[in-house]
């Protein structure tokens, strides 16, 4: 099972997560590309740590929306969105190359991630942009519009689940700000094992939902994130689950 985390998300040069600690527990790092957070220095630092620890690098692309950390939906022309995504991937790719590694997949961030789960047109724009950058895999929610768009553009799709986020009975994430959206640190390790072994997640309603995934995400800015990542990794390994990046 792949274990990923959103990292390099500095704001005005200040980190929002303990990146150095989180890199020790994950197999894939979704690196902010400067549009919602991050800058050239944070991207370089992330790539350097990834090389040192054998972690796969993914481009964590977003709307150009630093004021809202990329978590507010944005009205944007298709051509502009495609151009923004290509720019972000290209910037990180140059920095990764200088560090001796490559960008191996793309994971949209925040409001863009949520929008392309249900908006087929916007999902197709994202897939088009990624396909133009060397046909990298896309990471996103299972059975979503972006999964369909990735397939339509001949791209590999990496199915992701969130160990620290609540799910609705329909398999969607509980919106941030609502009760149950963010789970306490002591609730996630067992949940991660259930997602990996049983392929289920318990929704906020108590229903057990089928969830076939390739990668589990622990958010670096969630309270107790480092402890959470350590416990998730330990629980998975105790269940004989190997932690490894999906991408080769």
């Amino acid at each position: 099972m792949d274990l990923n985390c959103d990292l390099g998300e500095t704001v005005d040069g200040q980190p929002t997560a303990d990146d150095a600690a989180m890199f020790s527990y994950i197999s894939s790092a979704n690196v902010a590309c400067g549009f919602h957070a991050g800058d050239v220095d944070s991207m370089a630092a992330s790539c350097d740590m990834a090389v040192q620890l054998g972690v796969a690098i993914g481009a964590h692309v977003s709307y150009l929306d630093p004021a809202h950390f990329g978590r507010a939906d944005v009205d944007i022309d298709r051509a502009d969105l495609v151009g923004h995504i290509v720019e972000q991937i290209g910037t990180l790719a140059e920095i990764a190359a200088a560090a001796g590694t490559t960008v191996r997949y793309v994971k949209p961030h925040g409001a863009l991630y949520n929008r392309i789960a249900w908006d087929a047109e916007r999902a197709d724009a994202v897939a088009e942009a990624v396909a133009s950058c060397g046909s990298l895999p896309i990471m996103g929610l299972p059975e979503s519009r972006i999964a369909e768009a990735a397939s339509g553009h001949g791209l590999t799709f990496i199915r992701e689940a969130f160990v620290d986020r609540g799910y609705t009975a329909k398999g969607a994430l509980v919106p941030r700000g609502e009760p149950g959206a963010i789970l306490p640190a002591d609730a996630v390790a067992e949940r991660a094992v259930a997602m990996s072994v049983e392929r289920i997640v318990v929704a906020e309603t108590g229903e057990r939902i089928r969830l076939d995934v390739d990668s589990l995400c622990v958010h670096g800015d969630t309270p107790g994130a480092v402890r959470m990542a350590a416990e998730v990794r330990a629980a998975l390994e105790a269940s004989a689950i190997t932690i490894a990046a999906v991408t080769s």
Side-chain angles (χ1 to χ4, degrees):
M1 178 63 70
D2 181 40
L3 192 58
N4 80 75
C5 185
D6 305 339
L7 296 172
E9 293 183 313
T10 57
V11 175
D12 296 329
Q14 298 301 311
T16 57
D18 187 346
D19 284 23
M22 292 298 289
F23 262 101
S24 299
Y25 298 110
I26 61 174
S27 48
S28 298
N30 319 310
V31 178
C33 300
F35 272 47
H36 73 282
D39 52 32
V40 170
D41 290 339
S42 62
M43 283 186 262
S46 293
C47 290
D48 286 341
M49 282 188 277
V51 169
Q52 293 169 17
L53 296 171
V55 172
I57 286 290
H60 201 31
V61 300
S62 70
Y63 292 130
L64 180 56
D65 182 32
H68 301 101
F69 202 71
R71 288 176 174 161
D73 201 20
V74 173
D75 288 328
I76 185 171
D77 179 79
R78 180 188 178 101
D80 288 339
L81 178 59
V82 170
H84 286 179
I85 292 171
V86 170
E87 178 183 345
Q88 290 174 82
I89 295 171
T91 298
L92 183 60
E94 289 183 10
I95 294 171
T101 187
T102 60
V103 175
R104 289 171 32 190
Y105 64 95
V106 176
K107 175 184 170 180
H109 164 78
L112 179 59
Y113 184 100
N114 293 332
R115 178 70 177 263
I116 61 178
W118 60 267
D119 186 327
E121 182 177 353
R122 192 153 297 189
D124 189 70
V126 170
E128 176 189 321
V130 175
S132 73
C133 294
S135 298
L136 295 166
I138 299 177
M139 182 179 289
L141 290 178
E143 300 182 13
S144 60
R145 295 300 188 188
I146 186 58
E148 296 170 1
S151 177
H153 285 268
L155 304 176
T156 298
F157 187 72
I158 302 170
R159 302 166 298 178
E160 180 184 37
F162 295 85
V163 299
D164 54 358
R165 292 291 307 276
Y167 280 79
T168 69
K170 293 183 178 181
L173 297 177
V174 176
R176 285 180 179 271
E178 293 188 7
I182 307 296
L183 303 182
D186 59 3
V188 301
E190 182 178 348
R191 182 183 180 88
V193 172
M195 288 175 167
S196 302
V197 177
E198 300 179 53
R199 300 288 172 170
I200 62 98
V201 64
V202 178
E204 59 177 346
T205 56
E207 295 176 67
R208 291 165 60 88
I209 302 170
R210 179 74 183 181
L211 192 67
D212 289 310
V213 297
D214 310 298
S215 185
L216 302 179
C217 178
V218 177
H219 284 102
D221 59 354
T222 297
V226 174
R227 170 194 161 196
M228 187 183 300
E231 292 181 354
V232 165
R233 183 169 187 122
L236 291 174
E237 291 178 338
S239 297
I241 298 167
T242 302
I243 308 299
V246 175
T247 56
S248 59

